[in-house]
Amino acid sequence: MSQKAAPRPTDSDLQDNDAPVRATAPSRNVPEADFEAAARSNELKSGKAALATPASEQETVVVIDLGSQYSRLIARRIREANVYCEILPHTASWERLSSLRPKGFVLSGGPASVYEKGAPRCAPEVFTSGLPVMGICYGMQLMTLQLGGRVASAARREYGPAELRVGRHNGVFAGLPDTTQVWMSHGDRIDALPSGFRSLGSTDNSPVAAMENGKGAVGLLFHPEVVHTIEGKRVIANFVHDVCGCGATWTPGAFVEESTAAIREQVGDGRVLCALSGGVDSAVAATLIARSVGDQLTCVFVDNGLLRRDEGRQLVETFRNDLKVRLVHVDATDRFLSRLAGLTDPEEKRRVIGDEFIRVFEDEARKIGKVDYLAQGTLYPDVIESTSHDTATAAARIKTHHNVGGLPKDLSFSLVEPLRYLFKDEVRQVGAELSLPDSIIWRQPFPGPGLAVRIIGEVTRERLEILRAADHIVVSEVKSAGLYRDLWQSFAVLTPLQSVGVMGDYRTYGYVVAVRAVTSEDAMTADWARLPYDVLARISNRIVNEIPAVNRVVYDVSSKPPATIEWE
């Protein structure tokens, strides 16, 4: 079931940059935070998005987020072990936690010290329920404190690689060598173990780098979720399989089967209108819904005039001829460009595009007749980056994604978002399970607002044509070099800058085009791609020679963080 995944980023010590993961079906949790309230005034008719069957039908491990930016990486590792998991905030009540009927808990790391005022805590029943619990870094320190142990500031902070000496080869350390590299990121240490606990391993700076009580409670001062911890995947798999007793049952096939049943239950005999963008997300969502409710689905492709070269034509041919899906094609270029005229603020451009996008859909819905649901290919990173209140309470609002924050408050239909809590590589795995063609599955991500957020400043027809030509050159050269699948995204950006150049015997004053290529797994973090110089040279040479309005090409070598992948 394994599929090739895009290379992981390498710009941060704690980024996910290891080998491709096994194909697993992802989580479909609905977090406590009411995302829809910020963007939609109406509630979903079923009470939640159609994502999969209730958690009670899956063996579940709950990740309790204590403020770590890598809680989702922990979740990914659990899913790679084919075990279903959900991420909930540390503020979740025991009633909420226990309602998932969990087989165990994982406490994430976090930036705080357990002795700080207002430091994150979790429901005390997590430690008294008798269910297995594994604390990571801050999670281990919190476990120590709440069970009567003592945490103190370390004489020397421990960041980066460390050699773990394994004291006991059982439980989470079953199958590990006597010594192995782990990744540390902490300033506190365990000064006294809680009653009934024993040390499992140590490093030069941490006499207690891991602990357990023999009853399912495990603490790890290092981060098993990151690639730099060599045996990290095995440690997590040992916990969910051997300590929690979960089977490896969460697979793409299971996700498809259970999601189609859930979509049928939500939609009933209602009519569904699906927004097609041409990307893998909306394609997988549409195929999943079509499998669930058949002719009750009508797909509408809105050509907003902000697409890449030939993208609209290719999409129509694929869905009508290959997938045999009922498709309505709407050319709304004039409507979108009219509303974008004069706008330069990126957030306002996103908002306007999102608003007009829905207005066009409402117009088409009136032509089609009674429509009850709008389907979208919204993914987990879209939600995370569009809200200030994710499962992690400290998640920062980065931008308004048109699938989430740009929706008008007077939306007249409810939403079906079957991929809302899936990562991109997981969507591709589900797409393969649905037998979608590789040309759709491996298409690189494209922002909802399209080329509007790759034109810095005002969007005009002239600038769109310049950018389309430049972007086409970038993508074609990347494909010719055999690098397309190795990159998360590769594209051109039209900057508002103009520079002096010399072409022939004449001075020119033309646009500056930026080339952006990144590696990533799910867009949460990304590293700039080390493209071969000869590829960059061909891209630059073609752009300045084939596009008269451009006389300079630059390459973006920024990672995320601190930059974002898109320029706007």
Side-chain angles (χ1 to χ4, degrees), residues 8 13-18 21 63 68-80 85 87 223-227 236 423 521-522 524-525:
R8 276 56 164 179
D13 288 333
L14 291 180
Q15 286 176 358
D16 189 12
N17 58 351
D18 55 341
V21 301
V63 177
S68 173
Q69 60 180 312
Y70 299 103
S71 294
R72 294 166 194 89
L73 186 52
I74 299 171
R76 295 185 66 83
R77 295 295 183 236
I78 295 173
R79 296 177 192 179
E80 288 168 22
C85 68
I87 305 174
H223 288 267
E225 71 273 22
V226 302
V227 62
I236 291 175
F423 294 99
E521 182 178 283
D522 53 28
M524 299 302 298
T525 58

PDB file of all heavy atoms in Angstrom, residues 8 13-18 21 63 68-80 85 87 223-227 236 423 521-522 524-525:
ATOM      1  N   ARG A   8      10.479  15.369   2.780  1.00  0.00           N
ATOM      2  CA  ARG A   8      10.160  16.185   3.939  1.00  0.00           C
ATOM      3  C   ARG A   8      11.060  17.407   4.005  1.00  0.00           C
ATOM      4  O   ARG A   8      12.163  17.412   3.497  1.00  0.00           O
ATOM      5  CB  ARG A   8      10.362  15.387   5.238  1.00  0.00           C
ATOM      6  CG  ARG A   8       9.186  14.531   5.636  1.00  0.00           C
ATOM      7  CD  ARG A   8       8.765  13.576   4.596  1.00  0.00           C
ATOM      8  NE  ARG A   8       7.902  12.551   5.161  1.00  0.00           N
ATOM      9  CZ  ARG A   8       7.390  11.602   4.461  1.00  0.00           C
ATOM     10  NH1 ARG A   8       7.626  11.498   3.195  1.00  0.00           N
ATOM     11  NH2 ARG A   8       6.620  10.700   5.031  1.00  0.00           N
ATOM     12  N   ASP A  13      15.095  21.718  12.923  1.00  0.00           N
ATOM     13  CA  ASP A  13      15.521  20.491  13.591  1.00  0.00           C
ATOM     14  C   ASP A  13      14.365  19.578  13.912  1.00  0.00           C
ATOM     15  O   ASP A  13      14.542  18.372  14.051  1.00  0.00           O
ATOM     16  CB  ASP A  13      16.242  20.850  14.907  1.00  0.00           C
ATOM     17  CG  ASP A  13      17.608  21.453  14.650  1.00  0.00           C
ATOM     18  OD1 ASP A  13      18.198  21.133  13.602  1.00  0.00           O
ATOM     19  OD2 ASP A  13      18.052  22.246  15.483  1.00  0.00           O
ATOM     20  N   LEU A  14      13.181  20.133  14.056  1.00  0.00           N
ATOM     21  CA  LEU A  14      12.041  19.322  14.459  1.00  0.00           C
ATOM     22  C   LEU A  14      11.071  19.078  13.314  1.00  0.00           C
ATOM     23  O   LEU A  14       9.922  18.737  13.533  1.00  0.00           O
ATOM     24  CB  LEU A  14      11.300  20.006  15.628  1.00  0.00           C
ATOM     25  CG  LEU A  14      12.063  20.031  16.939  1.00  0.00           C
ATOM     26  CD1 LEU A  14      11.235  20.735  17.998  1.00  0.00           C
ATOM     27  CD2 LEU A  14      12.421  18.640  17.402  1.00  0.00           C
ATOM     28  N   GLN A  15      11.542  19.245  12.082  1.00  0.00           N
ATOM     29  CA  GLN A  15      10.644  19.023  10.969  1.00  0.00           C
ATOM     30  C   GLN A  15      10.635  17.575  10.537  1.00  0.00           C
ATOM     31  O   GLN A  15      11.557  16.822  10.804  1.00  0.00           O
ATOM     32  CB  GLN A  15      11.026  19.922   9.785  1.00  0.00           C
ATOM     33  CG  GLN A  15      10.619  21.367  10.056  1.00  0.00           C
ATOM     34  CD  GLN A  15      11.070  22.271   8.959  1.00  0.00           C
ATOM     35  OE1 GLN A  15      11.711  21.848   8.028  1.00  0.00           O
ATOM     36  NE2 GLN A  15      10.751  23.543   9.090  1.00  0.00           N
ATOM     37  N   ASP A  16       9.592  17.241   9.799  1.00  0.00           N
ATOM     38  CA  ASP A  16       9.348  15.869   9.368  1.00  0.00           C
ATOM     39  C   ASP A  16      10.016  15.649   8.023  1.00  0.00           C
ATOM     40  O   ASP A  16       9.467  15.927   6.992  1.00  0.00           O
ATOM     41  CB  ASP A  16       7.837  15.671   9.252  1.00  0.00           C
ATOM     42  CG  ASP A  16       7.476  14.238   9.016  1.00  0.00           C
ATOM     43  OD1 ASP A  16       8.360  13.381   9.172  1.00  0.00           O
ATOM     44  OD2 ASP A  16       6.316  13.982   8.671  1.00  0.00           O
ATOM     45  N   ASN A  17      11.270  15.149   8.010  1.00  0.00           N
ATOM     46  CA  ASN A  17      12.010  15.072   6.762  1.00  0.00           C
ATOM     47  C   ASN A  17      12.574  13.687   6.521  1.00  0.00           C
ATOM     48  O   ASN A  17      13.658  13.525   5.997  1.00  0.00           O
ATOM     49  CB  ASN A  17      13.147  16.106   6.757  1.00  0.00           C
ATOM     50  CG  ASN A  17      14.092  15.906   7.910  1.00  0.00           C
ATOM     51  OD1 ASN A  17      13.826  15.114   8.802  1.00  0.00           O
ATOM     52  ND2 ASN A  17      15.198  16.622   7.902  1.00  0.00           N
ATOM     53  N   ASP A  18      11.825  12.657   6.904  1.00  0.00           N
ATOM     54  CA  ASP A  18      12.310  11.309   6.743  1.00  0.00           C
ATOM     55  C   ASP A  18      11.772  10.693   5.465  1.00  0.00           C
ATOM     56  O   ASP A  18      11.228  11.355   4.602  1.00  0.00           O
ATOM     57  CB  ASP A  18      11.943  10.457   7.964  1.00  0.00           C
ATOM     58  CG  ASP A  18      10.458  10.490   8.234  1.00  0.00           C
ATOM     59  OD1 ASP A  18       9.779  11.403   7.741  1.00  0.00           O
ATOM     60  OD2 ASP A  18       9.970   9.600   8.928  1.00  0.00           O
ATOM     61  N   VAL A  21       6.156   7.790   4.025  1.00  0.00           N
ATOM     62  CA  VAL A  21       5.396   7.051   5.027  1.00  0.00           C
ATOM     63  C   VAL A  21       4.570   5.978   4.354  1.00  0.00           C
ATOM     64  O   VAL A  21       4.291   6.019   3.169  1.00  0.00           O
ATOM     65  CB  VAL A  21       4.460   7.994   5.814  1.00  0.00           C
ATOM     66  CG1 VAL A  21       5.262   9.054   6.492  1.00  0.00           C
ATOM     67  CG2 VAL A  21       3.428   8.611   4.894  1.00  0.00           C
ATOM     68  N   VAL A  63      -4.410  12.350  21.146  1.00  0.00           N
ATOM     69  CA  VAL A  63      -3.248  13.205  21.377  1.00  0.00           C
ATOM     70  C   VAL A  63      -3.744  14.472  22.061  1.00  0.00           C
ATOM     71  O   VAL A  63      -4.589  15.186  21.520  1.00  0.00           O
ATOM     72  CB  VAL A  63      -2.542  13.560  20.059  1.00  0.00           C
ATOM     73  CG1 VAL A  63      -1.378  14.508  20.316  1.00  0.00           C
ATOM     74  CG2 VAL A  63      -2.049  12.293  19.362  1.00  0.00           C
ATOM     75  N   SER A  68       2.325  22.279  21.708  1.00  0.00           N
ATOM     76  CA  SER A  68       3.409  21.960  20.786  1.00  0.00           C
ATOM     77  C   SER A  68       2.988  22.215  19.354  1.00  0.00           C
ATOM     78  O   SER A  68       1.880  21.886  18.947  1.00  0.00           O
ATOM     79  CB  SER A  68       3.817  20.495  20.934  1.00  0.00           C
ATOM     80  OG  SER A  68       4.750  20.130  19.940  1.00  0.00           O
ATOM     81  N   GLN A  69       3.910  22.770  18.551  1.00  0.00           N
ATOM     82  CA  GLN A  69       3.614  22.935  17.133  1.00  0.00           C
ATOM     83  C   GLN A  69       3.773  21.621  16.384  1.00  0.00           C
ATOM     84  O   GLN A  69       3.494  21.548  15.178  1.00  0.00           O
ATOM     85  CB  GLN A  69       4.545  23.993  16.521  1.00  0.00           C
ATOM     86  CG  GLN A  69       6.020  23.665  16.619  1.00  0.00           C
ATOM     87  CD  GLN A  69       6.890  24.747  16.008  1.00  0.00           C
ATOM     88  OE1 GLN A  69       6.633  25.203  14.899  1.00  0.00           O
ATOM     89  NE2 GLN A  69       7.909  25.164  16.730  1.00  0.00           N
ATOM     90  N   TYR A  70       4.199  20.572  17.076  1.00  0.00           N
ATOM     91  CA  TYR A  70       4.413  19.287  16.440  1.00  0.00           C
ATOM     92  C   TYR A  70       3.427  18.215  16.892  1.00  0.00           C
ATOM     93  O   TYR A  70       3.646  17.032  16.687  1.00  0.00           O
ATOM     94  CB  TYR A  70       5.858  18.824  16.657  1.00  0.00           C
ATOM     95  CG  TYR A  70       6.833  19.795  16.042  1.00  0.00           C
ATOM     96  CD1 TYR A  70       7.534  20.685  16.829  1.00  0.00           C
ATOM     97  CD2 TYR A  70       6.982  19.866  14.666  1.00  0.00           C
ATOM     98  CE1 TYR A  70       8.388  21.617  16.262  1.00  0.00           C
ATOM     99  CE2 TYR A  70       7.828  20.778  14.082  1.00  0.00           C
ATOM    100  CZ  TYR A  70       8.538  21.661  14.877  1.00  0.00           C
ATOM    101  OH  TYR A  70       9.369  22.585  14.309  1.00  0.00           O
ATOM    102  N   SER A  71       2.322  18.631  17.495  1.00  0.00           N
ATOM    103  CA  SER A  71       1.296  17.661  17.889  1.00  0.00           C
ATOM    104  C   SER A  71       0.768  16.909  16.677  1.00  0.00           C
ATOM    105  O   SER A  71       0.463  15.719  16.744  1.00  0.00           O
ATOM    106  CB  SER A  71       0.151  18.367  18.610  1.00  0.00           C
ATOM    107  OG  SER A  71       0.591  18.912  19.835  1.00  0.00           O
ATOM    108  N   ARG A  72       0.657  17.608  15.559  1.00  0.00           N
ATOM    109  CA  ARG A  72       0.156  16.953  14.350  1.00  0.00           C
ATOM    110  C   ARG A  72       1.150  15.947  13.804  1.00  0.00           C
ATOM    111  O   ARG A  72       0.775  14.988  13.127  1.00  0.00           O
ATOM    112  CB  ARG A  72      -0.201  18.004  13.306  1.00  0.00           C
ATOM    113  CG  ARG A  72      -1.369  18.851  13.768  1.00  0.00           C
ATOM    114  CD  ARG A  72      -1.559  20.109  12.966  1.00  0.00           C
ATOM    115  NE  ARG A  72      -2.466  20.989  13.692  1.00  0.00           N
ATOM    116  CZ  ARG A  72      -2.078  21.877  14.586  1.00  0.00           C
ATOM    117  NH1 ARG A  72      -0.791  22.016  14.856  1.00  0.00           N
ATOM    118  NH2 ARG A  72      -2.951  22.620  15.219  1.00  0.00           N
ATOM    119  N   LEU A  73       2.421  16.172  14.075  1.00  0.00           N
ATOM    120  CA  LEU A  73       3.428  15.199  13.665  1.00  0.00           C
ATOM    121  C   LEU A  73       3.295  13.929  14.503  1.00  0.00           C
ATOM    122  O   LEU A  73       3.475  12.823  13.994  1.00  0.00           O
ATOM    123  CB  LEU A  73       4.829  15.801  13.809  1.00  0.00           C
ATOM    124  CG  LEU A  73       6.003  14.968  13.294  1.00  0.00           C
ATOM    125  CD1 LEU A  73       5.768  14.517  11.866  1.00  0.00           C
ATOM    126  CD2 LEU A  73       7.296  15.772  13.394  1.00  0.00           C
ATOM    127  N   ILE A  74       2.984  14.074  15.783  1.00  0.00           N
ATOM    128  CA  ILE A  74       2.708  12.907  16.623  1.00  0.00           C
ATOM    129  C   ILE A  74       1.526  12.137  16.035  1.00  0.00           C
ATOM    130  O   ILE A  74       1.551  10.903  15.912  1.00  0.00           O
ATOM    131  CB  ILE A  74       2.405  13.330  18.077  1.00  0.00           C
ATOM    132  CG1 ILE A  74       3.600  14.046  18.697  1.00  0.00           C
ATOM    133  CG2 ILE A  74       2.027  12.109  18.921  1.00  0.00           C
ATOM    134  CD1 ILE A  74       3.298  14.668  20.051  1.00  0.00           C
ATOM    135  N   ALA A  75       0.478  12.886  15.679  1.00  0.00           N
ATOM    136  CA  ALA A  75      -0.703  12.241  15.090  1.00  0.00           C
ATOM    137  C   ALA A  75      -0.345  11.510  13.802  1.00  0.00           C
ATOM    138  O   ALA A  75      -0.835  10.405  13.541  1.00  0.00           O
ATOM    139  CB  ALA A  75      -1.788  13.289  14.833  1.00  0.00           C
ATOM    140  N   ARG A  76       0.498  12.103  12.998  1.00  0.00           N
ATOM    141  CA  ARG A  76       0.908  11.455  11.750  1.00  0.00           C
ATOM    142  C   ARG A  76       1.624  10.144  12.031  1.00  0.00           C
ATOM    143  O   ARG A  76       1.417   9.142  11.345  1.00  0.00           O
ATOM    144  CB  ARG A  76       1.829  12.380  10.945  1.00  0.00           C
ATOM    145  CG  ARG A  76       1.152  13.643  10.473  1.00  0.00           C
ATOM    146  CD  ARG A  76       2.096  14.439   9.591  1.00  0.00           C
ATOM    147  NE  ARG A  76       2.368  13.688   8.374  1.00  0.00           N
ATOM    148  CZ  ARG A  76       1.579  13.688   7.316  1.00  0.00           C
ATOM    149  NH1 ARG A  76       0.455  14.386   7.334  1.00  0.00           N
ATOM    150  NH2 ARG A  76       1.889  13.002   6.237  1.00  0.00           N
ATOM    151  N   ARG A  77       2.487  10.141  13.024  1.00  0.00           N
ATOM    152  CA  ARG A  77       3.222   8.920  13.353  1.00  0.00           C
ATOM    153  C   ARG A  77       2.270   7.814  13.823  1.00  0.00           C
ATOM    154  O   ARG A  77       2.456   6.635  13.507  1.00  0.00           O
ATOM    155  CB  ARG A  77       4.270   9.205  14.436  1.00  0.00           C
ATOM    156  CG  ARG A  77       5.373  10.148  13.989  1.00  0.00           C
ATOM    157  CD  ARG A  77       6.208   9.522  12.891  1.00  0.00           C
ATOM    158  NE  ARG A  77       7.291  10.394  12.508  1.00  0.00           N
ATOM    159  CZ  ARG A  77       7.516  10.822  11.270  1.00  0.00           C
ATOM    160  NH1 ARG A  77       6.694  10.446  10.306  1.00  0.00           N
ATOM    161  NH2 ARG A  77       8.521  11.609  11.001  1.00  0.00           N
ATOM    162  N   ILE A  78       1.262   8.201  14.572  1.00  0.00           N
ATOM    163  CA  ILE A  78       0.286   7.211  15.028  1.00  0.00           C
ATOM    164  C   ILE A  78      -0.494   6.663  13.834  1.00  0.00           C
ATOM    165  O   ILE A  78      -0.728   5.459  13.715  1.00  0.00           O
ATOM    166  CB  ILE A  78      -0.663   7.828  16.077  1.00  0.00           C
ATOM    167  CG1 ILE A  78       0.125   8.198  17.342  1.00  0.00           C
ATOM    168  CG2 ILE A  78      -1.798   6.864  16.421  1.00  0.00           C
ATOM    169  CD1 ILE A  78      -0.678   8.974  18.369  1.00  0.00           C
ATOM    170  N   ARG A  79      -0.873   7.537  12.920  1.00  0.00           N
ATOM    171  CA  ARG A  79      -1.600   7.091  11.730  1.00  0.00           C
ATOM    172  C   ARG A  79      -0.725   6.193  10.851  1.00  0.00           C
ATOM    173  O   ARG A  79      -1.223   5.270  10.207  1.00  0.00           O
ATOM    174  CB  ARG A  79      -2.081   8.297  10.932  1.00  0.00           C
ATOM    175  CG  ARG A  79      -3.094   9.145  11.675  1.00  0.00           C
ATOM    176  CD  ARG A  79      -3.473  10.354  10.851  1.00  0.00           C
ATOM    177  NE  ARG A  79      -4.217  11.322  11.643  1.00  0.00           N
ATOM    178  CZ  ARG A  79      -4.657  12.477  11.163  1.00  0.00           C
ATOM    179  NH1 ARG A  79      -4.414  12.798   9.907  1.00  0.00           N
ATOM    180  NH2 ARG A  79      -5.317  13.303  11.935  1.00  0.00           N
ATOM    181  N   GLU A  80       0.576   6.490  10.807  1.00  0.00           N
ATOM    182  CA  GLU A  80       1.479   5.642  10.040  1.00  0.00           C
ATOM    183  C   GLU A  80       1.501   4.221  10.592  1.00  0.00           C
ATOM    184  O   GLU A  80       1.807   3.271   9.857  1.00  0.00           O
ATOM    185  CB  GLU A  80       2.894   6.227  10.045  1.00  0.00           C
ATOM    186  CG  GLU A  80       3.033   7.474   9.190  1.00  0.00           C
ATOM    187  CD  GLU A  80       4.345   8.182   9.431  1.00  0.00           C
ATOM    188  OE1 GLU A  80       5.297   7.531   9.913  1.00  0.00           O
ATOM    189  OE2 GLU A  80       4.437   9.390   9.149  1.00  0.00           O
ATOM    190  N   CYS A  85      -6.386   8.252  15.347  1.00  0.00           N
ATOM    191  CA  CYS A  85      -6.130   9.163  16.467  1.00  0.00           C
ATOM    192  C   CYS A  85      -6.846  10.485  16.238  1.00  0.00           C
ATOM    193  O   CYS A  85      -7.194  10.831  15.112  1.00  0.00           O
ATOM    194  CB  CYS A  85      -4.633   9.397  16.661  1.00  0.00           C
ATOM    195  SG  CYS A  85      -3.870  10.334  15.323  1.00  0.00           S
ATOM    196  N   ILE A  87      -6.675  14.715  17.731  1.00  0.00           N
ATOM    197  CA  ILE A  87      -5.966  15.726  18.524  1.00  0.00           C
ATOM    198  C   ILE A  87      -7.002  16.590  19.221  1.00  0.00           C
ATOM    199  O   ILE A  87      -7.895  17.140  18.576  1.00  0.00           O
ATOM    200  CB  ILE A  87      -5.078  16.613  17.641  1.00  0.00           C
ATOM    201  CG1 ILE A  87      -4.102  15.783  16.820  1.00  0.00           C
ATOM    202  CG2 ILE A  87      -4.315  17.630  18.491  1.00  0.00           C
ATOM    203  CD1 ILE A  87      -3.293  16.600  15.817  1.00  0.00           C
ATOM    204  N   HIS A 223      11.905  13.545  21.902  1.00  0.00           N
ATOM    205  CA  HIS A 223      10.804  13.623  20.941  1.00  0.00           C
ATOM    206  C   HIS A 223      10.856  12.433  19.991  1.00  0.00           C
ATOM    207  O   HIS A 223      11.639  12.435  19.031  1.00  0.00           O
ATOM    208  CB  HIS A 223      10.882  14.926  20.141  1.00  0.00           C
ATOM    209  CG  HIS A 223      10.521  16.140  20.922  1.00  0.00           C
ATOM    210  ND1 HIS A 223       9.244  16.650  20.948  1.00  0.00           N
ATOM    211  CD2 HIS A 223      11.267  16.935  21.735  1.00  0.00           C
ATOM    212  CE1 HIS A 223       9.218  17.723  21.728  1.00  0.00           C
ATOM    213  NE2 HIS A 223      10.433  17.923  22.216  1.00  0.00           N
ATOM    214  N   PRO A 224       9.996  11.433  20.169  1.00  0.00           N
ATOM    215  CA  PRO A 224      10.013  10.271  19.278  1.00  0.00           C
ATOM    216  C   PRO A 224       9.397  10.567  17.916  1.00  0.00           C
ATOM    217  O   PRO A 224       9.590   9.807  16.971  1.00  0.00           O
ATOM    218  CB  PRO A 224       9.180   9.234  20.038  1.00  0.00           C
ATOM    219  CG  PRO A 224       8.202  10.059  20.816  1.00  0.00           C
ATOM    220  CD  PRO A 224       8.977  11.283  21.230  1.00  0.00           C
ATOM    221  N   GLU A 225       8.652  11.652  17.811  1.00  0.00           N
ATOM    222  CA  GLU A 225       7.930  11.937  16.569  1.00  0.00           C
ATOM    223  C   GLU A 225       8.815  12.503  15.465  1.00  0.00           C
ATOM    224  O   GLU A 225       8.427  12.503  14.291  1.00  0.00           O
ATOM    225  CB  GLU A 225       6.760  12.896  16.835  1.00  0.00           C
ATOM    226  CG  GLU A 225       7.139  14.340  17.154  1.00  0.00           C
ATOM    227  CD  GLU A 225       7.408  14.592  18.634  1.00  0.00           C
ATOM    228  OE1 GLU A 225       7.720  13.623  19.351  1.00  0.00           O
ATOM    229  OE2 GLU A 225       7.306  15.756  19.054  1.00  0.00           O
ATOM    230  N   VAL A 226      10.005  13.011  15.807  1.00  0.00           N
ATOM    231  CA  VAL A 226      10.833  13.659  14.791  1.00  0.00           C
ATOM    232  C   VAL A 226      11.810  12.663  14.188  1.00  0.00           C
ATOM    233  O   VAL A 226      12.195  11.667  14.805  1.00  0.00           O
ATOM    234  CB  VAL A 226      11.596  14.871  15.372  1.00  0.00           C
ATOM    235  CG1 VAL A 226      10.623  15.880  15.958  1.00  0.00           C
ATOM    236  CG2 VAL A 226      12.616  14.441  16.418  1.00  0.00           C
ATOM    237  N   VAL A 227      12.227  12.945  12.972  1.00  0.00           N
ATOM    238  CA  VAL A 227      13.071  12.010  12.232  1.00  0.00           C
ATOM    239  C   VAL A 227      14.433  11.824  12.895  1.00  0.00           C
ATOM    240  O   VAL A 227      15.071  10.782  12.758  1.00  0.00           O
ATOM    241  CB  VAL A 227      13.241  12.487  10.774  1.00  0.00           C
ATOM    242  CG1 VAL A 227      13.940  13.832  10.698  1.00  0.00           C
ATOM    243  CG2 VAL A 227      13.978  11.456   9.941  1.00  0.00           C
ATOM    244  N   ILE A 236       6.769   4.811  19.077  1.00  0.00           N
ATOM    245  CA  ILE A 236       5.349   5.165  19.009  1.00  0.00           C
ATOM    246  C   ILE A 236       4.502   3.956  18.638  1.00  0.00           C
ATOM    247  O   ILE A 236       3.434   3.721  19.215  1.00  0.00           O
ATOM    248  CB  ILE A 236       5.140   6.327  18.017  1.00  0.00           C
ATOM    249  CG1 ILE A 236       5.753   7.602  18.598  1.00  0.00           C
ATOM    250  CG2 ILE A 236       3.660   6.525  17.709  1.00  0.00           C
ATOM    251  CD1 ILE A 236       5.713   8.796  17.670  1.00  0.00           C
ATOM    252  N   PHE A 423      -4.350  15.225   5.828  1.00  0.00           N
ATOM    253  CA  PHE A 423      -3.170  15.872   5.285  1.00  0.00           C
ATOM    254  C   PHE A 423      -3.070  15.538   3.798  1.00  0.00           C
ATOM    255  O   PHE A 423      -3.670  14.588   3.306  1.00  0.00           O
ATOM    256  CB  PHE A 423      -1.909  15.411   6.015  1.00  0.00           C
ATOM    257  CG  PHE A 423      -1.855  15.849   7.451  1.00  0.00           C
ATOM    258  CD1 PHE A 423      -2.218  14.980   8.472  1.00  0.00           C
ATOM    259  CD2 PHE A 423      -1.431  17.118   7.783  1.00  0.00           C
ATOM    260  CE1 PHE A 423      -2.167  15.372   9.798  1.00  0.00           C
ATOM    261  CE2 PHE A 423      -1.372  17.527   9.113  1.00  0.00           C
ATOM    262  CZ  PHE A 423      -1.749  16.652  10.118  1.00  0.00           C
ATOM    263  N   GLU A 521       5.729  17.941   3.422  1.00  0.00           N
ATOM    264  CA  GLU A 521       4.833  16.799   3.497  1.00  0.00           C
ATOM    265  C   GLU A 521       3.390  17.217   3.583  1.00  0.00           C
ATOM    266  O   GLU A 521       2.512  16.583   3.010  1.00  0.00           O
ATOM    267  CB  GLU A 521       5.182  15.917   4.700  1.00  0.00           C
ATOM    268  CG  GLU A 521       4.314  14.683   4.809  1.00  0.00           C
ATOM    269  CD  GLU A 521       4.707  13.808   5.980  1.00  0.00           C
ATOM    270  OE1 GLU A 521       5.714  13.093   5.886  1.00  0.00           O
ATOM    271  OE2 GLU A 521       3.990  13.867   6.994  1.00  0.00           O
ATOM    272  N   ASP A 522       3.125  18.316   4.297  1.00  0.00           N
ATOM    273  CA  ASP A 522       1.734  18.710   4.491  1.00  0.00           C
ATOM    274  C   ASP A 522       1.545  20.217   4.557  1.00  0.00           C
ATOM    275  O   ASP A 522       0.492  20.681   4.954  1.00  0.00           O
ATOM    276  CB  ASP A 522       1.181  18.073   5.772  1.00  0.00           C
ATOM    277  CG  ASP A 522       2.066  18.366   6.974  1.00  0.00           C
ATOM    278  OD1 ASP A 522       2.744  19.420   6.983  1.00  0.00           O
ATOM    279  OD2 ASP A 522       2.091  17.546   7.906  1.00  0.00           O
ATOM    280  N   MET A 524       2.611  22.304   6.565  1.00  0.00           N
ATOM    281  CA  MET A 524       2.751  22.908   7.881  1.00  0.00           C
ATOM    282  C   MET A 524       4.140  23.504   8.034  1.00  0.00           C
ATOM    283  O   MET A 524       4.332  24.557   8.655  1.00  0.00           O
ATOM    284  CB  MET A 524       2.501  21.861   8.979  1.00  0.00           C
ATOM    285  CG  MET A 524       1.117  21.254   8.959  1.00  0.00           C
ATOM    286  SD  MET A 524      -0.193  22.483   9.132  1.00  0.00           S
ATOM    287  CE  MET A 524       0.199  23.146  10.745  1.00  0.00           C
ATOM    288  N   THR A 525       5.139  22.829   7.487  1.00  0.00           N
ATOM    289  CA  THR A 525       6.496  23.347   7.408  1.00  0.00           C
ATOM    290  C   THR A 525       6.997  23.040   6.001  1.00  0.00           C
ATOM    291  O   THR A 525       6.486  22.151   5.327  1.00  0.00           O
ATOM    292  CB  THR A 525       7.429  22.679   8.442  1.00  0.00           C
ATOM    293  OG1 THR A 525       7.429  21.267   8.233  1.00  0.00           O
ATOM    294  CG2 THR A 525       6.997  22.994   9.862  1.00  0.00           C
TER     295      THR A 525
END
